[in-house]
Amino acid sequence: MKKVNVAMIGVGCISGIYLENITKVFKEIELIGVCDLIRERAENAQKNYNIPKVYETMHDAFADPEVDIVLNLTRPYEHYEVTKAALEAGKHVYSEKPLGADLAEGIELRDLAEKKGLMLGGAPDTFMGAGIQTCRRLIDDGFIGTPIGSAAFLICNGHESWHPDPEFYYKRGGGPMFDMGPYYLTAMINLLGGVSEVMSASKTTFPQRTITSQPLAGTIVDVDVSTYISGTVKYDSGAIGTIFTTFDVKFPGEATRYIEVYGTEGTLFVPDPNGFSGPVKLYRPEEGKLREMPLMYDYADNSRALGLADMAKAIVDGRVARCDYTQTFHVLEMIEGFETSSREGRWVKMNSHYERKPAMVKAKLKGVLD
C-alpha cells in the first residue's frame, strides 16, 4: 500500500483531531513532520504521535523532498500566505477552510495550482461522512421527489465564552459566514448542486466583544466583520435555498445547526453539517410523521482528515479529489457574493461553476479510500 507523506503547518486547536485520525485511522497517509510558530506545540505533537520531524519554519517543510502534501491548519487570514508558498515550492495543498480570506486570494491560489499542475483543496470534509452522504443518497434516489429548496441555520452567541483565543473569529476571514458557513454551503451544493446567484443582508450587532473564557478573560475585541447574515441562493437546478448564520443571538440550549431540504414529495432533515453523523430524518405525507433513516455510509465518527486522505488517494490514482478547489472556490465565491450583495443591495452572479463529485463508496476497510 503506497502512503502519501504529509507535513502539518499549524498545531492549534483543530490539529488534535487531525493528529488522531492521520496517525490512527487513515492508512494511506503518513504524517512525517509538523511546524508551528510556537515550537512547543509542534514538539508536543511529535512526542505524543511519534512524528519523525519538527520543522523550524514552514519553508523547511516546503523544501523537504519527502513531503507530498502540505496540510494548512493555520488561522483563516494566514491560509493564503501558507498555501501560496507551498504551491510555489511544488507541493499539493489541503487547507482548513476557507480557501482564502477573500475571493482575490482564492483566484490567485486557484490559478497558481492550475499553472503548476498541483492539487489544491480543503475542508470541510464533513459532507463525506455518513450523515450527509446518506442524505445525498435519499435525495438522488427520489425519496423527497424533485428538490425545490433548502434552508440552513447556524444560530449561536459567538465563541468568546469557550474558545481559548477567539479574537480571530471577529477579524478578516472570520465571522459566522466565513467560519461556519463553509460547512453549510458545502453540504448544500453536495446535496443540490452548484449555485448560479446569491443575495444577502447583513449587519454587525455588537461592535465589541468581551472574552469570558480563559486565559484571555476580560479582553475586549473590536468586531471587524458582519455577525448577522441572511443569504439566499439560486441553485443551477432552479431550486432556491436560504442560509442564516449569526454570532449575535441569545438562544436556549446549544447552538442551532441544521439544514432542511424540501421536495415535491417530502422533506429531509439534514444533521449538523459540522459533524459526520446523523440523525437523518425523512417526512413524507403518506406516513404523516418523521422517520429516522439508517445511516448507509462509513465515517459517522469525527473523521476530519477524510478529505485529506481522499486527496492522497486521488494523487496516487490520478482522479479528482472530492474536496478539490472547484468546491472550496465555489463556496468562497458564494461567501464573498453575500458580502457584495449586502453592501450593494443586488443579486450577485457566480462566475465559477460547480459539479458534484462522485458519492462516497462504502469502504471494504475503514481508513482506505476508493
Side-chain angles (χ1 to χ4, degrees):
M1 180 184 296
K2 177 177 173 53
K3 290 199 173 188
V4 176
N5 291 334
V6 177
M8 176 187 289
I9 310 300
V11 192
C13 289
I14 194 64
S15 67
I17 189 62
Y18 277 93
L19 289 164
E20 282 287 314
N21 289 337
I22 293 172
T23 59
K24 298 178 182 179
V25 176
F26 297 110
K27 298 172 173 56
E28 297 171 292
I29 49 178
E30 186 84 29
L31 185 59
I32 65 167
V34 291
C35 179
D36 194 275
L37 291 174
I38 302 174
R39 185 179 173 87
E40 182 182 6
R41 291 178 177 176
E43 290 175 345
N44 287 338
Q46 180 185 42
K47 177 182 176 181
N48 294 331
Y49 293 94
N50 298 313
I51 300 167
K53 306 176 186 181
V54 170
Y55 300 107
E56 190 65 31
T57 72
M58 67 179 187
H59 298 286
D60 294 325
F62 304 157
D64 185 347
E66 293 188 290
V67 173
D68 300 305
I69 301 177
V70 168
L71 172 59
N72 184 355
L73 301 185
T74 59
R75 294 182 176 186
Y77 58 82
E78 298 168 329
H79 287 176
Y80 163 78
E81 178 185 356
V82 175
T83 296
K84 180 180 178 181
L87 290 171
E88 288 177 334
K91 304 300 184 184
H92 305 289
V93 179
Y94 185 94
S95 174
E96 253 300 327
K97 46 77 183 168
L99 174 62
D102 57 41
L103 190 60
E105 290 185 353
I107 291 171
E108 186 174 349
L109 294 176
R110 176 200 65 186
D111 292 350
L112 180 59
E114 290 181 350
K115 177 182 177 181
K116 287 188 164 286
L118 295 167
M119 284 202 181
L120 169 64
D125 54 5
T126 47
F127 75 94
M128 297 170 65
I132 293 174
Q133 286 294 306
T134 295
C135 292
R136 172 172 171 169
R137 174 82 169 269
L138 292 169
I139 293 170
D140 291 352
D141 287 354
F143 277 74
I144 62 169
T146 301
I148 59 174
S150 66
F153 305 89
L154 180 279
I155 304 171
C156 73
N157 193 34
H159 298 346
E160 61 270 24
S161 66
W162 61 270
H163 195 283
D165 187 15
E167 183 175 5
F168 72 92
Y169 287 107
Y170 301 102
K171 300 299 180 181
R172 179 173 177 266
M177 189 61 79
F178 256 106
D179 174 46
M180 296 300 294
Y183 294 108
Y184 294 80
L185 297 171
T186 300
M188 288 161 61
I189 62 175
N190 271 278
L191 294 174
L192 296 176
V195 167
S196 59
E197 294 182 85
V198 302
M199 73 175 302
S200 175
S202 64
K203 64 178 181 177
T204 303
T205 304
F206 305 105
Q208 292 184 321
R209 300 272 183 150
T210 300
I211 299 175
T212 59
S213 59
Q214 295 297 334
L216 300 175
T219 302
I220 295 176
V221 175
D222 291 327
V223 179
D224 299 337
V225 294
S226 297
T227 50
Y228 191 103
I229 305 162
S230 179
T232 302
V233 307
K234 291 181 181 178
Y235 293 101
D236 294 334
S237 66
I240 295 174
T242 60
I243 178 170
F244 173 48
T245 67
T246 182
F247 285 166
D248 296 343
V249 171
K250 307 295 189 292
F251 209 74
E254 296 183 358
T256 294
R257 302 173 177 176
Y258 66 95
I259 300 172
E260 299 171 350
V261 180
Y262 313 118
T264 55
E265 299 177 24
T267 295
L268 188 64
F269 294 82
V270 180
D272 178 1
N274 190 21
F276 289 80
S277 188
V280 173
K281 296 182 179 180
L282 174 70
Y283 174 80
R284 287 186 60 97
E286 298 91 340
E287 292 186 314
K289 62 180 181 181
L290 283 176
R291 187 197 336 166
E292 185 165 339
M293 305 299 288
L295 300 181
M296 295 181 278
Y297 291 87
D298 306 295
Y299 305 108
D301 298 329
N302 188 340
S303 300
R304 279 173 173 79
L306 176 56
L308 172 66
D310 182 74
M311 174 184 280
K313 192 61 173 282
I315 291 170
V316 173
D317 290 351
R319 63 167 172 83
V320 175
R322 290 181 171 91
C323 289
D324 79 343
Y325 73 83
T326 64
Q327 176 169 281
T328 55
F329 184 86
H330 197 63
V331 168
L332 179 61
E333 188 179 4
M334 292 166 69
I335 293 173
E336 179 143 318
F338 290 140
E339 292 184 347
T340 301
S341 174
S342 179
R343 184 174 62 251
E344 300 180 3
R346 63 180 178 88
W347 282 96
V348 175
K349 291 185 178 297
M350 301 283 288
N351 290 313
S352 62
H353 180 70
Y354 175 73
E355 293 287 345
R356 297 190 306 169
K357 304 300 186 295
M360 292 292 286
V361 175
K362 194 167 180 63
K364 294 179 180 179
L365 177 63
K366 186 176 181 181
V368 175
L369 277 291
D370 61 288

